[in-house]
Amino acid sequence: MLDSARKADITYRMHHALYGLCYEPESGAIDGSKLVLMLGGMFVETAFLFDNCEEALQASFVNLSRLLETEPAMEEMVVEALPPASVIDFDTEMGRATAREFFEEWLDCPYEFHDILLTLTQQVFTRWEALSFDQGIRHGQTRAESFRLLIEGTYRAMAYELGAQELCDVLIEKKIGVAGWTLSDCIGALAGLSGQKLSYSHGGRNQCCWFRGSDLPDLLDQTAYVMTQEAVRLGVPTGTDWRFGLPANDVPVSPPSHLVNEVEPVCRGFFEAVYMDDEHDQAVASAKAAGRMLALACSGEKPELEPAIGKPLAMAAITESYKSACVEYAAVNYSV
């Protein structure tokens, strides 16, 4: 057990670390959305310390509701309340990494870290509410609203994590084990599905612009980053060769359509089972799964794929599938 002085010290250190990561020099302020999502990532990582992560997460929010003396805001959230799915994944993964650092340095008991995290979150949310009141901010953020954003972001992060793992397991069992696929096939299928879902998520609008060299539209670049960072976290070497050998802009698109068509029904069944209806969320979960498959293929003394081959393969699959869906949209909607 930790004494009260030690707990206070750890709480302070966590607070200092989080605020440092969320500080924006240009504005001289804290990015509140980023901080909420980092806290969400810490809750996710803490939940995985327990046997049933979903029940642990639910219990965490029950306890937090008691500490905050409020329920989460129940009003319907506007779409802009949370950033895009790829940003949610990035910020919550930062929170998870921060939590792991504290696990290793200070704590032996997950229950004590859980209590410290609850106390820290309570302090942050009540302080924000007090500042809004003191400064007379007409539309300041109440603790109930902060609580609601935390819940939404945390459950999204948990869904991406569990979704990526489940998709990998399903493909290993059904496609590699039964259909005789290789890991390369699985990487191409999942990365391609991610690109396709991402394009469908905004109906081919706005983000289906001209590709300039290796530059990608923002949403595609962010979603590809989810895939690459998942692979790097699991041991794939970093480097600048992710986009090496990508097809030129003046050649016809060549997505791995046969692989995507094979895997789409399997993945659709999973997404329906977990109520992941938003196609942008599906794209992020698929990108994370592709990154994990890539790490599996490129790891070990005798990897099935050399990283210099596997990384551009995955990047080509996600970009070509995205382009193909954009071309399909344009053909249907702008034909004379």
Side-chain angles (χ1 to χ4, degrees):
M1 296 289 291
L2 297 175
D3 58 38
S4 57
R6 185 95 185 277
K7 286 185 177 180
D9 177 66
I10 295 173
T11 303
Y12 169 77
R13 290 173 182 267
M14 288 172 57
H15 184 279
H16 183 74
L18 289 170
Y19 270 67
L21 290 168
C22 297
Y23 179 74
E24 293 188 332
E26 293 182 0
S27 63
I30 298 297
D31 186 334
S33 174
K34 187 181 187 71
L35 181 54
V36 168
L37 291 173
M38 286 192 68
L39 287 169
M42 297 182 80
F43 274 104
V44 169
E45 193 66 22
T46 305
F48 283 125
L49 296 174
F50 299 91
D51 292 335
N52 189 317
C53 60
E54 295 176 82
E55 288 184 2
L57 192 58
Q58 184 177 6
S60 295
F61 290 141
V62 171
N63 291 331
L64 184 57
S65 177
R66 176 178 53 80
L67 289 174
L68 290 171
E69 299 180 338
T70 184
E71 296 291 326
M74 300 304 294
E75 294 84 1
E76 184 175 352
M77 284 181 56
V78 296
V79 176
E80 296 79 11
L82 286 174
S86 52
V87 177
I88 293 174
D89 178 77
F90 178 80
D91 289 343
T92 53
E93 284 291 348
M94 285 185 62
R96 294 183 64 187
T98 303
R100 289 193 291 270
E101 291 179 10
F102 282 94
F103 292 163
E104 295 173 1
E105 186 173 351
W106 282 300
L107 299 173
D108 298 320
C109 177
Y111 293 99
E112 298 209 0
F113 184 86
H114 175 258
D115 290 342
I116 291 172
L117 181 58
L118 288 173
T119 301
L120 174 62
T121 305
Q122 177 206 22
Q123 292 174 353
V124 170
F125 288 176
T126 53
R127 178 61 175 162
W128 283 354
E129 184 179 65
L131 284 173
S132 297
F133 179 79
D134 292 343
Q135 296 173 8
I137 301 175
R138 183 178 180 184
H139 298 292
Q141 190 158 293
T142 66
R143 68 184 71 184
E145 292 169 334
S146 299
F147 190 12
R148 172 67 181 279
L149 291 174
L150 175 70
I151 290 175
E152 294 288 342
T154 305
Y155 275 117
R156 294 270 192 94
M158 177 73 82
Y160 301 153
E161 174 65 24
L162 296 179
Q165 187 59 52
E166 185 66 23
L167 291 178
C168 288
D169 290 344
V170 168
L171 261 66
I172 290 172
E173 177 185 349
K174 295 188 175 182
K175 294 303 181 182
I176 294 179
V178 177
W181 278 25
T182 64
L183 286 173
S184 300
D185 295 330
C186 294
I187 294 168
L190 288 168
L193 181 66
S194 177
Q196 184 186 81
K197 290 290 185 181
L198 181 65
S199 180
Y200 290 167
S201 72
H202 55 80
R205 298 181 299 275
N206 303 325
Q207 291 286 323
C208 281
C209 58
W210 292 101
F211 286 68
R212 298 177 298 277
S214 62
D215 292 338
L216 307 178
D218 289 341
L219 280 179
L220 177 57
D221 195 34
Q222 293 165 2
T223 306
Y225 189 76
V226 171
M227 178 180 69
T228 61
Q229 289 307 291
E230 187 71 13
V232 168
R233 274 191 292 269
L234 296 175
V236 174
T238 58
T240 59
D241 53 350
W242 284 98
R243 302 182 187 183
F244 177 76
L246 287 182
N249 295 330
D250 57 352
V251 300
V253 293
S254 180
S257 300
H258 62 295
L259 296 175
V260 174
N261 292 338
E262 284 282 328
V263 81
E264 199 278 334
V266 177
C267 296
R268 183 175 66 244
F270 168 75
F271 292 140
E272 291 175 351
V274 298
Y275 304 103
M276 189 182 287
D277 301 322
D278 185 87
E279 288 181 307
H280 198 172
D281 289 336
Q282 295 174 13
V284 167
S286 300
K288 284 180 77 73
R292 292 189 180 189
M293 281 292 190
L294 183 59
L296 181 61
C298 297
S299 62
E301 295 183 1
K302 295 182 179 180
E304 181 171 318
L305 274 179
E306 288 296 328
I309 297 174
K311 292 194 286 186
L313 171 69
M315 188 64 74
I318 192 171
T319 56
E320 290 295 285
S321 295
Y322 181 90
K323 288 181 183 180
S324 177
C326 288
V327 170
E328 176 186 333
Y329 176 85
V332 170
N333 290 274
Y334 299 108
S335 58
V336 178

